[in-house]
Amino acid sequence: MIRLGLRLSLSSGREAVARLALVVVGVAAGVAVLLSTLSLFNAFQATNGRPCWECTTGSAPSGWALDTTADGALWSYREDFYAGRTIKRLDAAALGTRAPVIPGLSRMPGPGRYYASPALAGLLDSAPREELAARFPGTRAGLIGDAALSGPDELVVVVGRTPDEVAALPGARQVDAVSTVPTASTGPAAGADADVYRFAFGVAAVGLIVPLLVLVGTATRLAAARRESRFAAIRLVGATTRQINVLATVDAALGALAGALTGLAIFQLVRPAVAGVRVTGARFFPGLVAPHAWQYAAVLAGVPVVAAGAALWSLRRVRISPLGVARKTTASPPRAWRVIPLLAGLGMFAGPVYRNGKPDELLAVVALALIMVGLMLAGPWLTMVAARLAARLTRGGATLLATRRLAADPKTAFRSVSGLVLAVFIGTTIAALVPAVVAGQQKVAGGTLNDVLGARFERPGVSGLSQRAGTELLARLRAHPGVEVLPIYGRVDAEKAPPRPDGPPPRPYVVECAGLALFPVLGRCPEGTRAVAGNFARIIGADNPLTVDRLLPLAGPDSPAASTDGLDLAAVMITTSDTGTLERLRTLLAGYTVEAPMTFAEVAEVRADLYTRAENIALAMVGLTLVAGACGLVVAAGGGLVERRQPFTLLRLAGTPTRTLAAVVLLESALPLVLAAVLAAAAGFGVAEPLIDALRMKGTSLAMPGPVYFASLGGGLAASLLVILTTLPLLRRMTTPDNARFE
């Protein structure tokens, strides 16, 4: 029976060859997309699993004498910024012959030398020295290897110093060994960041696997009606149910296996382009962007199994009776109750999911489940309603033929695009939320503080710069033309004082009123005062720009008068209109601070970057699922042409123009596709809008995605329709008068 199945699949004329080719194309597209997604996830996992040398901890030299006899090293790790990009900087000094060495280096640099990552080396060569290279004393000794980096675009520098120089730097540590904990545990993508990425990949997996399974199933069931008739005839001449199952399995598995192998070859061709995708905002190393061997094996083995299962399911009527195909009855139309779960889920998001402005996690999960199930259930009913409405509103022959067929079997029509629904829904929800969240954070204090550079000099055990060092720094800052500075002084006594239960918390910072007048958004001094106390330094280094808005104003008519005499310089706020001057000031301040000096807009950008990356994953998912959906539509359209070759040929012989038949095929594919996309997008907006209202973010009243989303969705739909047009030449060939005689 296996040999007979192979012969029926390969030697049954042009129709069998065309069907096999369509199956191979459809399955190959799905496999290539699936392997690309697995490759990116593997690269993300490998990057997050590398040893986090940045997480190395040790004993701080503050409060105890440095052990000069130790065999370890003295490290000072911090992050710097240049033109909105983060630079990881490690200043290190060996204390003995067995000093620890970070991955990617054979030895640590000596005093007066430094190693840079390839990306940073290129940046150092192109940027003005006083803006960037002046931050790293000494000469470049070489490049840092890939083992220390998360990707080819990462900016990292390791600076060699003397022990005394490192001990004087903020955050110095004496270390004996390099940390081996994974980056995902405590590194840059730790905690919420890693969870967001894993969630995004999980969403992508759900959004992709469903349409891919639909695609494989649709491809496998091409020309199901003609195959059912053939298998029923074979049963009439004595074949058993088991033998029919073997024939169907061989037929389906052959096309699926060939498609899987073709998809693997296509993936190898597009793999360089996949390696350039910036899922987390930066590229992965190309060598990491590849499926594991077991994933290759699972795809090559699993796709034929899925295809065989779909083929066996499609033959359930033949197994009942050899004449089951001839006795088919029209399926009952879907009922209106199918929209109830969808409406219930949307209603929960608009009401009980959010209590007192906060989402109830259990209700949110239930509501999301109802919406997802409701989208799949409501699709066939809405397809039927849309088809009937289109038939009533139009009188064209092509529209009438297409809508009548859709209304007669809406479940089959919607099945080919059902995989798109979940992907577009989830993608729309994320794409609607992210711009609103980002917009609510980017206008710090209405935008008046966006370009203000903040630097904080406090650290554990140190209240700031001494009076002498602070005066010297302020003079150097003000020496630059066009620079305005607001010094913020620290009151150590108030900082250590416990909060009063019957009054406001202590305000340990003081600013002079003359400097405060340069930044009116922070508040105003009472009449007749020269300096006031307030929580001025709290807004510098705040990781959430919305926190700044809640703290403002920091001074007013009731602010207590104070004096800056004898106070340390805790922080500064600087404004300048020149970008080059800003980077030179950042270079100057880098020697005084633990954390990199950043503008408020850069703080907002760092926080918003995580959400933007999640949006990018969502948009990529929508685009990939639209591609998979388009392939599924092509396969379904091709299969429909094969099944309806006889009636289409008779219509053409009766005088029906070819363009009318082409319009029928296009409408039958386009209507479910557009309906599925609109339905899913509307549900996504319905979930996003209540969430934005519940968050009560300033300046965010509409959950409107950016142009990239509409370009992705609209472009994907347009590309899908263009792909469907590729079936029209097949229509012309199959409906020629020569095909009027049938076996």
Side-chain angles (χ1 to χ4, degrees):
M1 296 304 294
I2 295 178
R3 180 181 298 179
L4 178 60
L6 292 174
R7 187 171 182 177
L8 289 175
S9 300
L10 300 175
S11 305
S12 297
R14 289 180 299 175
E15 178 181 322
V17 174
R19 176 184 169 276
L20 181 62
L22 286 173
V23 171
V24 171
V25 170
V27 174
V31 168
V33 171
L34 180 59
L35 291 176
S36 299
T37 305
L38 291 174
S39 298
L40 291 173
F41 180 71
N42 291 341
F44 168 77
Q45 289 286 73
T47 301
N48 265 10
R50 71 175 181 86
C52 180
W53 59 267
E54 307 97 315
C55 310
T56 302
T57 58
S59 53
S62 176
W64 51 275
L66 180 63
D67 184 6
T68 57
T69 64
D71 250 352
L74 204 59
W75 283 17
S76 174
Y77 174 78
R78 49 184 164 157
E79 292 185 350
D80 203 347
F81 264 77
Y82 177 79
R85 300 180 66 183
T86 302
I87 302 174
K88 298 179 180 180
R89 173 173 179 169
L90 174 64
D91 292 85
L95 296 177
T97 58
R98 291 183 294 177
V101 180
I102 70 169
L105 291 179
S106 59
R107 59 181 179 179
M108 298 293 279
R113 299 168 67 84
Y114 67 85
Y115 288 96
S117 64
L120 180 58
L123 194 58
L124 289 170
D125 293 337
S126 60
R129 175 175 175 77
E130 64 274 11
E131 294 183 11
L132 183 59
R135 305 180 192 181
F136 316 124
T139 58
R140 192 188 311 166
L143 299 178
I144 299 175
D146 294 349
L149 309 175
S150 61
D153 300 326
E154 191 171 29
L155 306 180
V156 180
V157 62
V158 179
V159 182
R161 298 269 195 146
T162 65
D164 290 338
E165 288 174 339
V166 178
L169 294 175
R173 294 289 187 272
Q174 186 168 324
V175 300
D176 298 319
V178 178
S179 172
T180 58
V181 299
T183 299
S185 301
T186 53
D193 291 20
D195 290 342
V196 167
Y197 292 136
R198 290 194 181 92
F199 171 76
F201 275 112
V203 168
V206 173
L208 283 172
I209 288 175
V210 172
L212 291 179
L213 289 177
V214 172
L215 173 58
V216 172
T218 302
T220 305
R221 296 174 62 181
L222 275 178
R226 294 181 62 82
R227 287 191 301 125
E228 288 174 359
S229 299
R230 174 184 295 174
F231 289 147
I234 295 176
R235 280 211 63 192
L236 284 173
V237 298
T240 64
T241 301
R242 181 177 177 276
Q243 291 173 326
I244 294 297
N245 289 342
V246 172
L247 292 177
T249 301
V250 170
D251 183 51
L254 176 64
L257 181 59
L261 293 172
T262 305
L264 192 151
I266 294 174
F267 167 72
Q268 297 301 327
L269 295 176
V270 302
R271 181 180 167 188
V274 174
V277 176
R278 300 174 182 267
V279 174
T280 60
R283 293 179 299 156
F284 298 116
F285 286 115
L288 300 178
V289 184
H292 298 307
W294 68 267
Q295 291 172 334
Y296 278 122
V299 170
L300 291 177
V303 169
V305 170
V306 172
L312 293 177
W313 175 256
S314 68
L315 294 178
R316 60 192 184 280
R317 290 170 296 185
V318 179
R319 290 197 298 268
I320 295 173
S321 168
L323 299 178
V325 178
R327 296 200 301 262
K328 289 190 294 185
T329 59
T330 303
S332 59
R335 303 297 181 183
W337 65 264
R338 288 172 170 264
V339 300
I340 294 178
L342 176 61
L343 296 178
L346 292 174
M348 291 177 67
F349 261 99
V353 166
Y354 300 103
R355 297 178 178 178
N356 300 323
K358 296 181 179 180
D360 186 299
E361 294 184 2
L362 179 59
L363 287 179
V365 171
V366 173
L368 277 175
L370 284 174
I371 292 174
M372 292 181 181
V373 173
L375 286 171
M376 304 298 287
L377 289 176
W381 183 79
L382 292 174
T383 300
M384 181 187 68
V385 172
R388 290 178 177 177
L389 181 61
R392 292 180 181 178
L393 297 179
T394 58
R395 292 293 182 266
T399 306
L400 185 62
L401 287 173
T403 54
R404 290 300 184 188
R405 177 175 168 82
L406 290 175
D409 192 6
K411 295 180 181 179
T412 301
F414 187 77
R415 183 185 299 125
S416 60
V417 296
S418 59
L420 296 174
V421 173
L422 295 182
V424 176
F425 162 67
I426 298 173
T428 301
T429 303
I430 297 176
L433 283 174
V434 171
V437 174
V438 172
Q441 295 185 340
Q442 286 181 335
K443 295 183 178 179
V444 186
T448 57
L449 293 179
N450 279 9
D451 298 327
V452 175
L453 183 68
R456 195 164 182 167
F457 311 115
E458 296 174 300
R459 59 181 186 270
V462 179
S463 60
L465 300 181
S466 65
Q467 297 181 44
R468 180 178 177 180
T471 302
E472 177 185 349
L473 175 60
L474 292 175
R476 296 178 65 183
L477 292 173
R478 288 168 174 154
H480 292 79
V483 173
E484 295 178 342
V485 183
L486 172 64
I488 302 175
Y489 298 92
R491 297 175 58 187
V492 180
D493 55 341
E495 185 179 19
K496 294 180 179 180
R500 294 177 297 178
D502 57 344
R507 291 166 288 191
Y509 304 106
V510 177
V511 298
E512 296 175 339
C513 294
L516 185 61
L518 302 174
F519 300 86
V521 69
L522 301 181
R524 298 183 181 276
C525 291
E527 292 290 339
T529 57
R530 297 181 58 184
V532 293
N535 289 323
F536 295 98
R538 282 191 61 190
I539 65 174
I540 299 178
D543 63 348
N544 188 349
L546 298 179
T547 302
V548 178
D549 290 336
R550 288 193 290 266
L551 292 174
L552 297 178
L554 299 172
D558 299 330
S559 297
S563 173
T564 61
D565 294 340
L567 301 183
D568 294 337
L569 184 63
V572 292
M573 294 177 62
I574 306 170
T575 180
T576 179
S577 59
D578 182 65
T579 304
T581 301
L582 178 68
E583 295 301 336
R584 286 191 288 272
L585 294 176
R586 201 198 305 266
T587 300
L588 172 61
L589 292 168
Y592 296 88
T593 60
V594 177
E595 299 178 351
M598 300 171 62
T599 65
F600 285 91
E602 289 172 339
V603 175
E605 183 179 354
V606 169
R607 186 174 182 86
D609 187 52
L610 174 65
Y611 305 113
T612 304
R613 294 171 188 174
E615 181 186 19
N616 291 338
I617 296 177
L619 294 179
M621 177 188 66
V622 172
L624 290 174
T625 49
L626 285 173
V627 171
C631 295
L633 284 173
V634 171
V635 172
L641 290 178
V642 172
E643 290 185 356
R644 291 182 290 165
R645 183 182 63 169
Q646 182 176 5
F648 272 10
T649 301
L650 294 177
L651 284 173
R652 188 173 175 183
L653 288 175
T656 304
T658 306
R659 63 176 181 274
T660 301
L661 299 179
V664 171
V665 175
L666 185 62
L667 286 173
E668 287 182 358
S669 303
L671 184 60
L673 175 65
V674 175
L675 180 65
V678 172
L679 175 64
F685 282 116
V687 171
E689 190 64 36
L691 178 58
I692 292 175
D693 293 339
L695 294 176
R696 300 173 183 175
M697 293 179 293
K698 295 183 179 180
T700 54
S701 57
L702 293 176
M704 190 60 60
V708 177
Y709 167 78
F710 290 104
S712 300
L713 187 60
L717 290 175
S720 300
L721 296 179
L722 290 175
V723 171
I724 296 171
L725 294 177
T726 60
T727 61
L728 299 186
L730 180 63
L731 171 66
R732 294 187 181 94
R733 290 178 58 88
M734 295 179 59
T735 57
T736 57
D738 294 340
N739 293 324
R741 298 178 62 185
F742 301 96
E743 63 278 2

